[in-house]
Amino acid sequence: PSTKNTRRARQTIGIKVTMHEEDIPDPDNPEHEKHKFFDKASKQYFVRDIFNAYVKKGQEIETTYIVSRKFEPQSKTNTKVKFDIYATDGETPLHVTEPGCVRLAKLVIDINPDDNPRLECRMRFASTEISAEIKNLKTGEVKELLLQYNNMGLSQAAGTLSTFVRVPVREIMPWGEMEFDSMEMSEML
C-alpha cells in the first residue's frame, strides 16, 4: 500500500496582483480604497497589491503539491513581466501591504509583446522548499528560483534574482487538476 506524505503549510504563499475593481475579493472592504486607481488606457478602475494565495497557512498539502496558473500581458508595449512572491503568517490577507506580509522573491521574464505571449506561473510546495517558475509558453523560456525553509520559516531565495520591470498581466484560466476562480488580474505601472 502506498502512503501520501502530507504536511500543513507553515505560511500563506502567493503572488501580488492588480485586479479589475469588479473582480476583487470582499469588494465592500474599505481597505481597497487605498489601493484603487484609474487606468487611462483601459478607462477602468483597478485595485493593486491584492494577495493572490497559491497555498494558505494550515492547508494540508502533499509534499509534491503544485499550483500552476496561466497569464497573458494586457499591455502590448511592455517587454518584461514580473511576478512578486509573498508570504505571511496570516491565513487570508487581502493586500500584500498588510502587516506581516513579506516579499520573498521576484521572478522576471522577457516577452515580445507582438507575439501575444502566454505565461505560466507555477509553484511546487515540497517538504523543505518551494520552487517557483515562470514560463513563456510561446518561446519556452523559463525563469526559476528555489526558496528554502529554515527553522523559522522561509529563508532567502537560493541564487541571485534578476532586475525587473512591472508589467500588466491577466489570468487566462486555471491549469492542472486544481480548481480556482477565474479572475482578471493585472500589474499596472
Side-chain angles (χ1 to χ4, degrees):
S2 65
T3 60
K4 292 184 179 179
N5 282 334
T6 62
R7 66 176 177 88
R8 298 240 178 240
R10 296 180 192 182
Q11 296 173 303
T12 298
I13 308 290
I15 62 173
K16 178 176 80 168
V17 299
T18 298
M19 299 174 66
H20 290 259
E21 179 183 39
E22 62 273 6
D23 295 330
I24 58 175
D26 192 12
D28 296 326
N29 190 318
E31 286 297 310
H32 288 307
E33 288 301 315
K34 292 188 264 184
H35 302 273
K36 188 175 175 180
F37 69 98
F38 183 76
D39 177 56
K40 293 177 185 177
S42 65
K43 299 180 181 166
Q44 296 181 29
Y45 283 95
F46 291 88
V47 178
R48 63 173 51 105
D49 299 329
I50 299 288
F51 193 113
N52 184 255
Y54 272 50
V55 66
K56 294 185 178 184
K57 181 179 180 177
Q59 178 180 343
E60 188 172 325
I61 57 176
E62 292 183 31
T63 56
T64 57
Y65 183 70
I66 296 172
V67 179
S68 184
R69 299 182 184 164
K70 292 184 181 177
F71 300 86
E72 68 181 21
Q74 287 183 339
S75 171
K76 299 297 183 192
T77 60
N78 292 310
T79 60
K80 295 181 184 287
V81 174
K82 176 194 68 144
F83 290 84
D84 285 325
I85 301 170
Y86 278 81
T88 183
D89 287 329
E91 289 183 29
T92 55
L94 192 56
H95 298 101
V96 298
T97 56
E98 291 180 24
C101 290
V102 176
R103 186 174 74 183
L104 299 175
K106 57 192 167 201
L107 277 171
V108 179
I109 192 162
D110 295 325
I111 61 167
N112 180 348
D114 296 330
D115 288 344
N116 191 24
R118 294 198 186 314
L119 305 168
E120 179 179 35
C121 179
R122 183 176 187 170
M123 286 191 225
R124 184 178 60 84
F125 297 87
S127 58
T128 62
E129 64 193 28
I130 296 172
S131 63
E133 73 175 33
I134 305 297
K135 182 176 185 178
N136 183 328
L137 298 174
K138 291 278 188 175
T139 66
E141 179 187 8
V142 174
K143 298 286 183 171
E144 54 191 348
L145 62 83
L146 185 64
L147 300 163
Q148 296 282 331
Y149 278 104
N150 60 28
N151 291 336
M152 303 299 290
L154 285 169
S155 65
Q156 296 295 323
T160 58
L161 300 173
S162 61
T163 58
F164 64 93
V165 176
R166 295 178 68 180
V167 178
V169 295
R170 179 174 59 84
E171 181 172 357
I172 300 168
M173 58 186 293
W175 178 86
E177 298 177 10
M178 303 307 300
E179 291 185 19
F180 298 93
D181 293 333
S182 180
M183 64 185 81
E184 288 192 345
M185 296 185 282
S186 64
E187 194 53 50
M188 293 295 179
L189 289 174

